[in-house]
Amino acid sequence: MQAFFQRLLALDRRWVFLLVLLSVTIPIVIPIGLPVTTTSSTRSAFEFIEALEPGDIVWLSFDYGPSSAPENDPMAEAFLRQCLLKKVRVIVSAFYPLGGLDLANQVVAKVTAEYPDAKYGVDYINLGYKDGAAAVMRTLGQDITSSFPTDVNGRPLSEFPIMQGIRTVRQIDLVFTVATGLIGEWWITQVHSQFGTPVIIGPTAVSAPKYYAFLNSGQLVGMLGGMKGAAEYEKLLAAKHASFRKFYGETVGFTATKGMDGQTVLHGVILGLIFLGNLAFFLTRGNRAGGA
Amino acid sequence: MNLEFGRVTLVVLFALLPIAGIALGLRAPALRSKIPLLVAFFAGLIPIFSMYIPKKFLSGESGMSPRLDQWLIIVAGFALLLGITNVVSNGYRKISRRDRGWPYAIVLLTGLFVMGGFGIYGAISGKGIGFLPDGSATPFRWVWSAVFQPLQSTIFALLAFFMASAAFRAFRARNTEATILLIAGAIVMCGRVPLLEFLASPFPALAPSAAAASQFMGRATEWIMDIPNGAAQSGIIIGAALGAGSMAIRVILGIERGYLGLGKGE
Amino acid sequence: MSASVRLTASSLVVLTLLLSTVPAGAVAPVTTPPPPPELPAPTAFVAVDRPGDGGNAILLTWTDPAPLPEGAMLEVRRSEPPADEFVELQTVKPGVQRYVDASAEDGKTYRYELRVRGAETPDSLGIAGAVGPALVSDPVSPHDNWFRPERTNSLVASVLFIIFILSSIAFARSGKPIFIRRIAGLNAVDEAIGRATELGKKVLYIPGIQSMDEIQTIASIAILGHVARATARYGTDLDVPNKDPLTFISAREAVHSAYLAEGRPDLFREDMVHYVTYDQFAFTAAVSAQMTREKPAAIFLVGYFFAESLILAETGQSTGAIQIAGQADPTQLPFFVATCDYTLIGEELYAASAYLSREPVLLGSMRGQDIAKLVLLTVGIVGIVAVSLGATWFLDLVQTQ
Amino acid sequence: MQMDLIGTWLAAFLTLAAFSFLYKDNPFFRFTESLFAGVSLGYYVGIVLNQTLLPNLFIPMAQDFKTNWDLLVPGLLGLMLYMRSAPRIGWISRYALAIYVAYYIGVDFTRRIHGEVMPQIARTIRPLQAFDGPTLVSLIFIVGVYSVLIYFFFSKEQNAVTRPIARLGTWFLMISFGAAFGFTVMGRVALLIGRLNFLILDWIYPTIGR
């Protein structure tokens, strides 16, 4: 036993690397489905969106970059799926400078492929990327076309039925911002506080704590905090709609639920390693003292 | 010609004075270090005055302080070529001497010239380095998405492995300090994921208390991040700011000049 | 003129409203509408250049009349030459008693008019949108100013700090001894270089990944100067890879002059300080690879690092090198503390060059920093006592804008 | 489409080669690391040229020389940097470096005093007038900040009073380091999940037709 612990203390770190790799890979390939308890901020976001009627119009903004995609992608995908299923119309934009547009294009292409009935320009539209988020948001209260004269492919917005009668962000029923940094906060401070449009945010786990203040003050309808929040959301979707139960149960694609499995297992593995390390340290302490 | 007071002063201080200094320095070697330090003194005072004096010539949109900032962004842009020159000459030497690993120097220089070439082409042709009007990627952008971006994220992702191995080794209760580090780290790691719920999942009877404990850990995490961690960070920031401030005074007054290769103080 | 026209128009509206809303049975034999009661006028109306700004703004202040009718607003109007007509700028709620006209332009002269405007919806007397008598300001023009009064406290703090530092330097220059307590990480510098010398391996020094606009980089270059002098003395090989080109230039100057100062220009090679690439993670990959290939005996990670800190330090750790890290910014310190043998925390980074060189000027400025800390602690404790006793104004002395 | 497929395979190869460093240094990693260094440097050539020098120097001078004539000076200072490699007049490069360093250090000086020292001290000035939970929390925060500050006193030997306080300061530092380490794990794992998603879902699954 002593010898085992001695060896554990001098463990080649490549064994640790292998453990890390396995504990993240396995849940992606074979979902485990660990229990997730839903929190009130996610539930209020879900219920607000569930209460929207067919024909209502929402704004989905991609305000994050590739480095937080595993946390943020599932939020944007779940929201888009829910809207398309409920026939809520969606306007998509991107404000994150480095790669926000790429992610918007990918997510929109992926999710709309699952809903062949949804028509571009009628049920959803992609406005593309715009530089200078804070300034652009201020103009959305007067005239959307002043900042977004065309869609992502350069066609004038007036050509699209979805934009008929939509002039300002005041007419939008909900903004959902999937965000890493400051841009999400601007939707609250620039758009909600000036034009009154309800806002739901999907921040990364690191920036989630600062949004609790906005939740408490009622400036946010709801929040999906990090990958955990996204996993909660997937759980709520699956509980409500049979089609989502099937989809999230069977998809080979990435979901926040799978990511959360990996996160939890890896945190457990690291804590287990730390525990074993300390155990070995204490059990072999006598030896070391004698040896020295 | 725009001959505002602020702009002319900038040119006098940071073009005419250095040129005069260079001319004098060619004759008198002692001035080769003194006049740069004098010029630095003026450059350091401008933003400090601008903090308290809102006069337009100094702090307005194109006043001295913002304008000098715009200038220096350009100067920093020029510096990159010095780095590139160094990389190219080191690589060239490696290849011509057939030093160990010289074929990799060829890979490096090829990557540099191809990607740099695409970038220069984008600037000269006016096509830029993003997407073409038809929505297809420029060559610069294609290499970015096939080589640069994946490698950047992969090296960044190595951190997940290193975090685990560093935690395994460092989080050990060797003494009081290390024990405190270990406990704080363990609580926060538990509080970030529903780990307790996971461990309790085979025992349904434990589920409610595990959920409660998990929520408690979450709140404890927030408290630790906010209060003890926030306090320690404040303390570090205040101390470091004083150290930085005193270093700034020494640099502006020309006492600290090692960064110019001028040796130490007096 | 225009006001009286509007008055008649609004009285007509009032009349129709009265006739339409009052229940039939209650209709009194009205023949003429009651004359509108006079609206009060604000007092002490002053328009001045907004103090402490960069121009293009006028500050208006006044005292609201009391009592104001329900729903009444204050209307600010402006005239500018050559037209003398007053144009509405803004209506302000009662109680604010100030307005900043940020649309004014330097060099133009303006006059402002302030009056009370009654509620837009009819009040109990049925009066809507009536206006009271107007006050007109003296002509005023905006200009830029010489001082921001709201920054007085930080100016005082800065001046005091400069005085502490300079007087302590003067104190040190006069030859008085200055004590500096032991800093373990800095005692280890010589030990690390000594070990590299014994083993005949190189010393790797990474001055962070920021440019020379960051003070931590400048502090790191100062420490690099000491390390380079030691490697010059012992004839140990030194290697300084760089991510930022300006830092690269500066590091090379510092190393070169260190070798000259030690009288060993023969040992200095240009490629001791070399440039790698401008990308954070490409730099990390290249330097980590270099660590595993060359296995330096001592690694210095001193300066401003970001996420790459842990990759570099953990790779260095696996090669068995003695590692000394230093960073003033708290974000990456946890990773250095976990993986390096010694870590210079926060202010210790700036203390390093004084500690290593023992130069009076530098030691003196450290003493100045300590005086500043003592003053801060005193201000903090006095402040806590003051606000606990209800003197909340104390906080305004410290808060910056 | 063909280019997309090539791009995916290239990215997958490079990703695997970069991960192979975790096992040990090898020729694939060495190739990748060299390529990355070269391409990234070339990338910044494109970025600096297209996003710094063109919009800040060349375009303003070409469009409105009368307003922007002064931009000749940074051009001149930039060229002075290159004098470094000239043997006898290398000292000329000092001017550019000195101006650059001193300007930003001046900016930094005011930012440190005005934006860091004063607001952080202001954060500790909290009323302590009741015996309740929030007051206790305030007290812990205040003690934490001040004990860490006392740890950073260098010019006095620690005595019977300050030594235990400084020790307490190091305990706060350790809580902070441990907690910040634990807090960061999650974000880093997300990065790894991102790369594995790419390998498994964008590369392996389409290739094996799943």
Side-chain angles (χ1 to χ4, degrees), chain A residues 16 20 23 52 58 63 81 85 94 123 192 196-197 204 207 238 248 269:
Chain A
V16 178
V20 172
S23 48
L52 292 174
V58 297
D63 304 330
R81 284 191 184 105
L85 182 84
D123 300 299
H192 173 74
T197 316
T204 52
S207 50
Y248 281 109
V269 165

Side-chain angles (χ1 to χ4, degrees), chain A residues 173-192:
Chain A
D173 297 298
L174 170 74
V175 169
F176 186 91
T177 163
V178 192
T180 38
L182 266 177
I183 303 174
E185 201 174 322
W186 291 336
W187 279 108
I188 307 168
T189 54
Q190 306 278 353
V191 173
H192 173 74

Side-chain angles (χ1 to χ4, degrees), chain A residues 62-78 96 98-104 106-107 110 178-181 202-205 226-228 230-231 234 254-257 259-260 263, chain B residues 149 153 156, chain D residues 186-198 201-202:
Chain A
F62 286 78
D63 304 330
Y64 62 99
S67 67
S68 68
E71 279 186 89
N72 290 133
D73 272 351
M75 302 174 185
E77 289 172 10
Y96 192 85
L98 292 170
L101 179 60
D102 293 312
L103 293 160
Q106 278 167 24
V107 169
K110 177 178 169 189
V178 192
T180 38
T204 52
M227 201 181 274
K228 168 110 192 310
E234 288 170 358
F254 180 69
T255 63
T257 313
M260 210 51 216
Q263 287 278 15
Chain B
Q149 203 269 330
S153 343
F156 201 178
Chain D
M186 195 153 179
R188 303 306 188 225
V189 179
L191 295 168
L192 176 59
I193 294 176
R195 286 329 285 160
L196 293 173
N197 277 346
F198 166 73
L201 304 176
D202 296 351

Side-chain angles (χ1 to χ4, degrees), chain C residues 98-158:
Chain C
R98 76 194 293 272
Y99 174 72
V100 174
D101 173 16
S103 63
E105 281 172 46
D106 284 8
K108 285 191 180 172
T109 305
Y110 301 94
R111 290 195 310 157
Y112 292 85
E113 190 188 74
L114 181 73
R115 61 188 187 182
V116 173
R117 169 177 284 281
E120 290 298 333
T121 52
D123 59 15
S124 56
L125 289 170
I127 301 187
V131 289
L135 290 181
V136 176
S137 75
D138 289 335
V140 59
S141 55
H143 57 83
D144 51 351
N145 294 280
W146 280 100
F147 185 58
R148 287 185 216 273
E150 75 275 15
R151 288 188 181 165
T152 311
N153 57 1
S154 91
L155 178 65
V156 171
S158 299

Side-chain angles (χ1 to χ4, degrees), chain C residues 193 201-206 224-232 235-241 251 254-256 258-259 267-274 290 298 300:
Chain C
I193 298 170
K201 287 182 176 175
K202 61 166 69 164
V203 172
L204 186 67
Y205 191 105
I206 305 168
L224 172 61
H226 297 285
V227 171
R229 288 179 92 142
T231 57
T236 315
D237 196 7
L238 174 69
D239 192 1
V240 188
V255 171
H256 191 189
Y259 275 77
L267 289 179
F268 176 75
R269 298 188 325 276
E270 285 272 309
D271 64 356
M272 277 180 167
V273 185
H274 62 100
Q290 196 193 338
F300 290 84

Side-chain angles (χ1 to χ4, degrees), chain B residues 51-52 54-56 79 82 86-87 148 152 155-156 163 165 169-170 239-240 246 250 255 259 261 264 266, chain C residues 106 144-146 148 151 154 173 245 249-250 252 257 275 279 311 314 335 338 347 350 359 361 365 369:
Chain B
M51 178 83 181
Y52 300 104
K55 271 285 180 194
K56 259 187 205 141
L82 270 167
N86 186 255
V87 168
F148 184 77
Q152 213 181 21
I155 302 292
F156 201 178
M163 282 243 144
S165 66
R169 213 183 42 251
S246 123
R250 298 197 305 261
I255 297 170
Y259 71 96
K264 276 272 127 11
E266 299 162 281
Chain C
D106 284 8
D144 51 351
N145 294 280
W146 280 100
R148 287 185 216 273
R151 288 188 181 165
S154 91
R173 270 185 175 149
I249 299 169
S250 193
R252 182 176 273 182
S257 76
Y275 189 72
D279 182 71
I311 301 179
E314 184 66 12
F335 311 113
E347 199 179 351
Y350 299 109
E359 272 182 61
V361 173
S365 67
Q369 285 157 235

